[in-house]
């Protein structure tokens, strides 16, 4: 990187710091309490009026619980490993873990759905363009699609058109874990079997 590229790169750090703080709905005082960096210094860093040094960035990476290279938006170093982070979904307390980095074809995710109370309301149905394939790794998954209800257990698979109103529910007292392949354009999976 040339000097001008480094300066341009560093200008983006302030916006990233501000976005992280807002994403966590934290104030400058909140981050100051966690990181030990004064609110005025944090404000100057977010606006790009303060130089970024390791003694400031390391406590912020710890405060935001992100790797330093992610905090500063460091360019890729050629590391082929995929470092994808789980996403907590407010609906039903589900955790979704992306399994692919690039979404040129079907989206692949692992879902972990915690058990709910026995008297829980029926999950809200959603419909959208696409096609979904499900494989249950652990537990008993309830799938409602187009008015039909199906129980899929560990080792079983199911598929459905996501234009049908659908929802998932955990039918057991342990978390249910399942893999989902989702074709956003409604493409169907070509299945082949060895004879």
């Amino acid at each position: 990187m040339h000097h001008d590229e480094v300066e341009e790169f560093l200008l983006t750090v302030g916006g990233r710091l501000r976005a992280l703080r807002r994403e966590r709905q934290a104030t400058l005082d909140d981050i100051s309490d966690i990181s030990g960096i004064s609110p005025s210094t944090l404000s100057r860093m977010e606006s790009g009026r303060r130089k970024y040094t390791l003694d400031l960035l390391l406590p912020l990476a710890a405060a935001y619980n992100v790797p330093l290279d992610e905090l500063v938006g460091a360019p890729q170093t050629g590391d082929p490993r995929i470092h994808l982070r789980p996403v907590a979904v407010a609906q039903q307390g589900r955790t979704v873990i992306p399994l692919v980095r690039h979404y040129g074809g079907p989206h692949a995710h692992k879902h972990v759905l915690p058990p709910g109370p026995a008297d829980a309301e029926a999950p809200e149905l959603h419909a959208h363009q696409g096609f979904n394939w499900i494989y249950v790794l652990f537990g008993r998954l309830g799938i409602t699609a187009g008015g039909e209800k199906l129980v899929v257990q560990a080792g079983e698979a199911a598929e459905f058109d996501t234009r049908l109103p659908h929802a998932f529910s955990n039918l057991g007292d342990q978390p249910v874990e399942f893999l989902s392949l989702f074709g956003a354009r409604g493409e169907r999976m070509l299945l082949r079997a060895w004879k």
Side-chain angles (χ1 to χ4, degrees):
M1 266 188 169
H2 299 298
H3 179 71
D4 291 343
E5 291 174 311
V6 171
E7 288 299 317
E8 186 177 319
F9 168 74
L10 289 174
L11 287 175
T12 65
V13 175
R16 193 170 292 104
L17 292 171
R18 184 180 298 108
L20 278 168
R21 182 173 57 79
R22 289 181 176 164
E23 186 180 292
R24 286 156 174 78
Q25 299 179 340
T27 65
L28 289 170
D29 289 329
D30 294 335
I31 300 304
S32 176
D33 290 344
I34 297 168
S35 68
I37 301 169
S38 73
S40 62
T41 299
L42 291 170
S43 176
R44 288 195 317 267
M45 290 177 74
E46 286 186 4
S47 66
R49 297 186 322 252
R50 169 75 193 226
K51 290 280 186 187
Y52 307 103
T53 59
L54 277 179
D55 61 324
L56 294 172
L57 292 173
L58 288 173
L60 286 175
Y64 289 121
N65 195 26
V66 296
L68 182 61
D69 60 345
E70 185 178 320
L71 181 72
V72 299
Q76 292 289 332
T77 60
D79 183 349
R81 294 173 293 178
I82 296 176
H83 302 281
L84 301 170
R85 298 185 175 283
V87 176
V89 179
Q91 175 197 28
Q92 302 172 340
R94 181 183 333 183
T95 300
V96 179
I97 304 163
L99 300 176
V100 294
R101 186 187 325 213
H102 304 289
Y103 293 119
H107 302 219
H109 296 87
K110 178 180 178 183
H111 295 251
V112 180
L113 190 58
D119 60 349
E121 297 177 18
E124 185 178 341
L125 298 172
H126 298 278
H128 48 85
Q129 181 68 32
F131 206 83
N132 208 343
W133 302 272
I134 303 296
Y135 179 79
V136 178
L137 298 167
F138 180 82
R140 294 175 62 229
L141 178 68
I143 302 175
T144 302
E148 299 288 324
K149 293 185 180 182
L150 181 65
V151 177
V152 185
Q153 301 192 59
E156 296 180 337
E159 64 178 7
F160 64 93
D161 186 329
T162 58
R163 290 176 298 180
L164 300 171
H166 61 277
F168 302 112
S169 57
N170 184 341
L171 300 179
D173 57 1
Q174 297 289 320
V176 64
E177 298 181 17
F178 62 97
L179 300 177
S180 167
L181 290 175
F182 171 68
R185 293 191 251 354
E187 57 268 75
R188 300 288 301 258
M189 187 182 300
L190 174 61
L191 298 176
R192 298 189 179 199
W194 295 102
K195 293 182 181 183

